[in-house]
Amino acid sequence: MFSLFRKPKANIGKAPKAAEIAASAPEPGKELGQRVQWFEERLDNCVDAVFRTFTGAGGQQYALVFLGGIADLELLQEDLINPLTREDSRDKGATGPEADFSRLLITSCNVSGDYEEVMQYVLEGAVLLIIDGEDRMICYPYARFEKRSIGEAQNEVVIRGSREAFVEEVRTNVTMLRRRIKSPGLKVQSTYIGRHTRTEVLVIHLEGICRPELVEEVHHRLSKIEIDGVLESSYLEEFIEDHPYSPFPQIQNTERPDTAAAALLEGRIVILTDGTPIALIAPVTFPVFFQSPEDYYQRSYASTWIRWIRLLFMFVSLLAPSFYIALTTYHPEMIPASLLFSVAAAREPVPFPALFEAFIMEIVFEGLREASIRIPSAIGQAVSILGTLVIGEAAVRAGIVSSPMVIIVSLTGISSFIVPSYSLGLTLRLIRFPIMLLSGSFGLLGLSIGIYLVLLHLVVLSSFGVPYLAPIAPLKWKDIKDTLTRAPWRLMKTRPSVYGMEPTRRLKTILHNDGDDRD
């Protein structure tokens, strides 16, 4: 048995340009050595590139080109090299390159005579076989990548429901969607983005439910992306959203296959990117960011109550510091007397105005939150809790901030975590600061102006042409039942009309307790 590895010849001189190498591709019929040399020049100074020329059992010359760190050497030796070098495996009745070519074809291999196309297959991990005297080349899918096994979702935790989460391998993610939606209408279309990374991006939709013009628009926006590389789905998100300069997310992201499958059943599109466990879902509306997968796995009354809690604390996260600043600075007469005396006594030793005090605490809290994420998990939680308690207590004792401000900022920070979508929670944290400035400058008038500007911006936004505040603005009564509330399944007979095409009916009959089937 021979060694599969051979160190490529060093090229000390000036490296040829890619265009010159492509133009110098060997013509059909050239000898095997010249064809292998073309690949050696393209993969010059690549220590993991392997080039091996050998003679088969019948005297036929072959060459292998592959990347040693990716190709599965055991599979290569067993399925390809051994049959070529064993005399007993050769067909005695057929000789020549054409006979060898025919018997070496397998179902999953790629055959091409284009050198650039074949080179791309090699860079993706395929093993290239060149047969002397045969113009066509065969690429075998013998790549073996180390990949993470399917685990539990880290950022979208639920009490009841699936524990599966997407992984970095895009084909595995498609399999998880196929297992949930067993329909021939589930269409998966592939494209490659990135001049150097050639990242595979899959666009998935459910035919008959998703609008064809939406699918065309997604492909059109993806086709316009010209970038060196795509390393995460967020690269695509910034390119294809309607309003890239808006702080509000216009594309939903998820790591849960059940969330992606539910979106497909509503007529939306799922975009999977190779190398990341985060899927993109488009279009999306603002109420979706307050919905959790668990809302659909428990009784509707409990889900509705939890959604109200999330909405309440969303306003707390956004407006609590600004409201406190406005009242204590400009409108103390609106505070009950007993509470006003308590707040005034707490703020008496503080030398800073309420606005500056709030900014100090908010920035410190943001720093502690970021530190808790970056610190190793074994000590991160302890450091964040200890840091918050110690710094807050020390700041109050030193008279830098007042105790009511510590309470307000702590409540605000906790409230931002109640929103299920991390991207929306981050947006609320960002726009909290300009609203605080308006409140510190103009009181409740400034707070009202800030709320008005945010609402005006939300009304203007859209996601792939779908109004961002739909179905609230514009109002669609049929879709309201799954926004601020979560109606029982027997009442949600239609899909959201803002996403899919007609007819939108998804529930045909309901089995009642009396045994009758009714619409």
Side-chain angles (χ1 to χ4, degrees):
M1 183 179 296
F2 51 83
S3 174
L4 294 177
F5 293 93
R6 187 182 71 180
K7 187 177 181 179
K9 298 178 180 179
N11 188 355
I12 306 300
K14 183 180 179 180
K17 295 181 179 180
E20 296 175 356
I21 296 177
S24 63
E27 299 176 359
K30 289 290 185 180
E31 64 177 7
L32 189 64
Q34 293 179 341
R35 301 167 71 182
V36 174
Q37 184 181 3
W38 185 88
F39 289 98
E40 289 180 343
E41 292 175 351
R42 291 300 306 272
L43 296 174
D44 184 34
N45 294 325
C46 297
V47 69
D48 57 339
V50 180
F51 310 92
R52 183 63 173 135
T53 303
F54 63 97
T55 303
Q60 180 66 47
Q61 293 290 320
Y62 303 97
L64 292 174
V65 180
F66 58 93
L67 299 178
I70 300 178
D72 189 335
L73 300 184
E74 295 182 2
L75 190 62
L76 172 62
Q77 183 75 38
E78 180 179 351
D79 289 1
L80 185 59
I81 296 179
N82 288 344
L84 288 176
T85 55
R86 286 203 310 263
E87 188 68 34
D88 56 353
S89 64
R90 185 173 178 82
D91 187 358
K92 304 299 182 181
T95 58
E98 182 65 31
D100 282 334
F101 183 84
S102 300
R103 72 187 182 90
L104 289 172
L105 294 179
I106 62 175
T107 304
S108 56
C109 70
N110 294 289
V111 178
S112 177
D114 187 305
Y115 282 79
E116 289 295 335
E117 181 182 359
V118 168
M119 172 57 72
Q120 192 59 49
Y121 286 132
V122 173
L123 294 175
E124 292 174 1
V127 174
L128 170 63
L129 176 66
I130 306 175
I131 305 175
D132 190 23
E134 173 59 53
D135 299 335
R136 294 168 293 176
M137 295 169 279
I138 308 176
C139 295
Y140 296 93
Y142 289 162
R144 181 180 62 181
F145 296 96
E146 296 295 332
K147 58 183 181 180
R148 180 171 60 93
S149 60
I150 298 175
E152 188 171 350
Q154 300 296 318
N155 301 319
E156 300 175 73
V157 181
V158 297
I159 303 299
R160 180 176 180 178
S162 172
R163 296 295 187 270
E164 286 185 340
F166 285 130
V167 295
E168 288 74 12
E169 172 58 42
V170 69
R171 299 294 175 178
T172 304
N173 296 339
V174 173
T175 302
M176 286 190 277
L177 290 178
R178 287 281 186 190
R179 193 173 66 182
R180 287 167 170 80
I181 303 179
K182 305 175 182 65
S183 168
L186 185 64
K187 305 301 181 182
V188 182
Q189 297 168 292
S190 174
T191 185
Y192 291 86
I193 301 177
R195 286 187 292 269
H196 297 295
T197 60
R198 291 276 297 171
T199 304
E200 186 177 17
V201 177
L202 302 183
V203 179
I204 307 175
H205 71 280
L206 201 54
E207 192 175 51
I209 295 180
C210 183
R211 292 182 288 115
E213 56 269 23
L214 176 59
V215 180
E216 294 177 4
E217 180 63 22
V218 170
H219 282 288
H220 174 67
R221 296 188 187 187
L222 290 175
S223 66
K224 294 171 64 178
I225 299 176
E226 294 184 4
I227 190 173
D228 284 346
V230 175
L231 303 179
E232 216 278 334
S233 57
S234 62
Y235 286 54
L236 306 178
E237 183 177 357
E238 292 191 26
F239 279 106
I240 65 177
E241 59 187 2
D242 291 20
H243 307 273
Y245 298 108
S246 171
F248 286 90
Q250 298 142 60
I251 296 178
Q252 183 184 1
N253 57 76
T254 182
E255 60 180 342
R256 297 182 60 89
D258 54 345
T259 300
L264 291 170
L265 293 172
E266 290 181 342
R268 295 195 277 166
I269 288 180
V270 173
I271 302 174
L272 299 178
T273 307
D274 192 23
T276 175
I278 304 299
L280 303 179
I281 301 175
V284 69
T285 58
F286 187 69
V288 171
F289 292 109
F290 294 95
Q291 300 172 3
S292 169
E294 197 173 20
D295 293 352
Y296 303 94
Y297 302 150
Q298 56 189 358
R299 299 188 66 83
S300 60
Y301 305 107
S303 299
T304 299
W305 168 247
I306 293 175
R307 285 188 182 180
W308 291 349
I309 293 294
R310 293 181 193 135
L311 188 63
L312 170 64
F313 279 93
M314 184 273 290
F315 287 110
V316 171
S317 172
L318 181 62
L319 304 176
S322 303
F323 190 69
Y324 176 81
I325 293 171
L327 289 183
T328 55
T329 305
Y330 293 95
H331 311 282
E333 71 279 359
M334 298 181 63
I335 306 176
S338 57
L339 179 59
L340 178 60
F341 294 149
S342 176
V343 171
R347 294 204 72 256
E348 184 178 1
V350 178
F352 305 113
L355 176 62
F356 189 71
E357 184 184 0
F359 261 87
I360 292 176
M361 288 304 299
E362 285 288 350
I363 292 175
V364 169
F365 195 90
E366 290 291 332
L368 290 173
R369 176 161 28 197
E370 186 66 18
S372 66
I373 297 176
R374 308 304 168 196
I375 295 176
S377 57
I379 61 175
Q381 186 176 4
V383 169
S384 62
I385 296 175
L386 183 63
T388 304
L389 294 175
V390 171
I391 293 176
E393 180 66 20
V396 172
R397 288 181 176 273
I400 300 176
V401 296
S402 62
S403 51
M405 181 59 72
V406 173
I407 296 173
I408 292 294
V409 172
S410 301
L411 180 62
T412 301
I414 295 173
S415 301
S416 63
F417 290 112
I418 296 178
V419 179
S421 171
Y422 177 79
S423 56
L424 179 61
L426 181 58
T427 299
L428 297 177
R429 287 157 51 188
L430 290 175
I431 64 177
R432 182 190 306 153
F433 289 95
I435 296 179
M436 287 166 55
L437 283 174
L438 288 172
S439 299
S441 302
F442 305 103
L444 290 181
L445 176 61
L447 178 60
S448 302
I449 293 174
I451 297 174
Y452 173 77
L453 292 176
V454 171
L455 290 177
L456 182 63
H457 180 67
L458 291 176
V459 170
V460 173
L461 289 181
S462 63
S463 175
F464 285 86
V466 176
Y468 199 59
L469 290 182
I472 300 173
L475 183 61
K476 294 184 179 293
W477 283 109
K478 288 186 177 180
D479 297 342
I480 287 292
K481 62 186 69 173
D482 192 23
T483 51
L484 301 179
T485 64
R486 206 282 277 175
W489 276 112
R490 65 175 64 244
L491 298 181
M492 294 196 293
K493 301 178 183 179
T494 58
R495 293 183 292 270
S497 57
V498 295
Y499 299 137
M501 61 183 185
E502 298 293 339
T504 61
R505 195 171 186 84
R506 61 180 169 189
L507 183 61
K508 291 184 177 180
T509 59
I510 303 173
L511 183 62
H512 288 266
N513 293 333
D514 55 5
D516 295 333
D517 288 340
R518 307 171 186 173
D519 283 342

